[in-house]
Amino acid sequence: KNEVEQSPQNLTAQEGEFITINCSYSVGISALHWLQQHPGGGIVSLFMLSSGKKKHGRLIATINIQEKHSSLHITASHPRDSAVYICAVLNYGGSQGNLIFGKGTKLSVKP
Amino acid sequence: DADVTQTPRNRITKTGKRIMLECSQTKGHDRMYWYRQDPGLGLRLIYYSFDVKDINKGEISDGYSVSRQAQAKFSLSLESAIPNQTALYFCATSRGFGEKLFFGSGTQLSVL
């Protein structure tokens, strides 16, 4: 069983829709990262969080430590949000080298 | 200019060849990482370094070696490339433990 599971694997939405991507993990963690990988391959860090909620523009990330679950929400989605979204967890007590990555959720937003 | 620069962007090589991928950063970060990405799999850690004198193996270090020439430079070598090392390789940096990661643009390596 993978230690970090993302759902859905693939998601197609219409422009303007509210989108939710989920990440569940089975290990104790110190922090959780959300990353965005553009169609050209480049990876950008969106959020790093260890509790609660963070917001940046139209993106909101939440984490529930007790339930071992995080969500990434995109409000008013736009075709430029089309990308692969990756969840990664920092294993509790581990070094940064212990990041465990999910396989990603591929989002396609249609105009 | 990019904060984390990888060279080359693309490379095609033959089985048995030695190849080096280079990474340089202007972030001033001590921590640097090499990952590989394969279709359908998550990013996997090859090697990481917390400073010039600190090199650590990651999850999949067999067949790879690294050199931290300076705080700003971290190179990945494939001593004798094999086809299953065909992948997208990323260098990344971070300021400290649990901190945000900054990625290079990636190197697409094909071993024929």
Side-chain angles (χ1 to χ4, degrees):
Chain A
K1 183 182 183 298
N2 293 328
E3 292 168 301
V4 180
E5 297 273 3
Q6 290 186 234
S7 63
Q9 285 186 302
N10 293 280
L11 180 57
T12 300
Q14 288 297 127
E15 184 173 355
E17 286 185 359
F18 180 85
I19 288 163
T20 296
I21 298 170
N22 297 297
C23 176
S24 296
Y25 51 90
S26 58
V27 296
I29 70 166
S30 300
L32 182 143
H33 296 254
W34 280 103
L35 311 171
Q36 180 191 54
Q37 185 169 22
H38 296 288
I43 300 175
V44 174
S45 180
L46 298 174
F47 296 103
M48 193 281 293
L49 63 167
S50 55
S51 65
K53 175 180 173 178
K54 287 191 176 181
K55 184 176 188 292
H56 182 72
R58 296 179 294 106
L59 273 61
I60 303 165
T62 63
I63 188 168
N64 185 318
I65 297 293
Q66 287 72 28
E67 294 186 4
K68 295 187 175 179
H69 181 269
S70 176
S71 293
L72 177 68
H73 305 287
I74 304 175
T75 61
S77 60
H78 190 276
R80 65 175 174 267
D81 296 324
S82 298
V84 175
Y85 292 84
I86 300 168
C87 170
V89 302
L90 180 58
N91 204 9
Y92 183 77
S95 67
Q96 184 87 44
N98 287 80
L99 271 177
I100 306 169
F101 292 83
K103 295 181 180 180
T105 294
K106 186 175 182 180
L107 171 65
S108 178
V109 181
K110 306 293 186 186
Chain B
D1 287 339
D3 294 321
V4 183
T5 303
Q6 288 183 237
T7 56
R9 288 298 307 275
N10 291 280
R11 180 72 183 265
I12 299 173
T13 192
K14 293 183 179 180
T15 297
K17 294 290 188 182
R18 184 178 189 275
I19 184 167
M20 179 182 287
L21 308 183
E22 299 189 350
C23 177
S24 62
Q25 52 115 346
T26 58
K27 305 286 294 178
H29 292 167
D30 286 327
R31 298 178 176 225
M32 299 187 73
Y33 313 84
W34 275 105
Y35 293 98
R36 68 176 276 176
Q37 185 179 45
D38 298 275
L41 297 179
L43 287 156
R44 292 182 292 167
L45 182 66
I46 307 172
Y47 270 96
Y48 61 105
S49 169
F50 287 168
D51 66 39
V52 174
K53 296 181 181 179
D54 179 72
I55 303 288
N56 303 281
K57 292 183 177 181
E59 180 186 352
I60 52 163
S61 59
D62 287 349
Y64 301 95
S65 62
V66 290
S67 173
R68 185 81 183 265
Q69 301 96 323
Q71 187 206 36
K73 295 184 182 293
F74 192 36
S75 300
L76 176 72
S77 294
L78 286 68
E79 298 301 327
S80 179
I82 56 176
N84 77 359
Q85 291 177 313
T86 293
L88 183 57
Y89 289 83
F90 286 99
C91 174
T93 75
S94 69
R95 185 173 60 179
F97 178 78
E99 298 266 356
K100 184 176 174 178
L101 290 167
F102 294 86
F103 287 83
S105 299
T107 296
Q108 179 62 58
L109 175 66
S110 297
V111 183
L112 304 179

